[in-house]
Amino acid sequence: QSVVKQKAQQEAAQRAAKQNAQQEAAQKAAQQKAQQEAAQKAAQQKAQQERSEKRRARKECQKRCRSGWSPKR
C-alpha cells in the first residue's frame, strides 16, 4: 500500500511541475508579446514624429517661398 501511495504522490508532483512549467511558459509568452507591442508602438510614434517634422518643414518652406519675390508676379 505504501508503494501505491508513493506512486500517487510522485504522479501528483509531476502534474504540479507540469502545470508550473505551463504557467511559466504562458507568462513568458505574454511578456514577449507585451514587449513586441511596446516596440511597435514606439516605432509608430517615432514615424509619426518624423512625418510631422517633415510636414512642418515643408509648410515653413512654402511660406518663405510664397512671401518672397517671385518671377511669376
Side-chain angles (χ1 to χ4, degrees), residues 4 23-24 28 36 39 54 65 71:
V4 173
Q23 288 175 348
E24 288 175 4
K28 186 175 181 180
Q36 287 175 344
K54 287 179 182 178
C65 293

Side-chain angles (χ1 to χ4, degrees), residues 5-65:
K5 251 186 182 180
Q6 286 178 348
K7 189 172 182 179
Q9 288 175 345
Q10 286 176 346
E11 289 174 354
Q14 287 174 347
R15 282 193 303 271
K18 187 176 179 180
Q19 287 177 344
N20 287 341
Q22 289 173 340
Q23 288 175 348
E24 288 175 4
Q27 287 175 348
K28 186 175 181 180
Q31 287 174 344
Q32 287 176 342
K33 184 177 180 180
Q35 288 174 345
Q36 287 175 344
E37 289 174 354
Q40 286 176 345
K41 187 175 181 179
Q44 288 173 347
Q45 287 176 343
K46 184 178 179 184
Q48 179 65 36
Q49 288 174 347
E50 288 175 358
R51 283 192 298 268
S52 296
E53 179 62 24
K54 287 179 182 178
R55 185 169 185 241
R56 184 197 60 75
R58 189 170 55 243
K59 283 185 174 183
E60 191 175 301
C61 180
Q62 287 174 353
K63 286 179 185 177
R64 284 187 194 150
C65 293

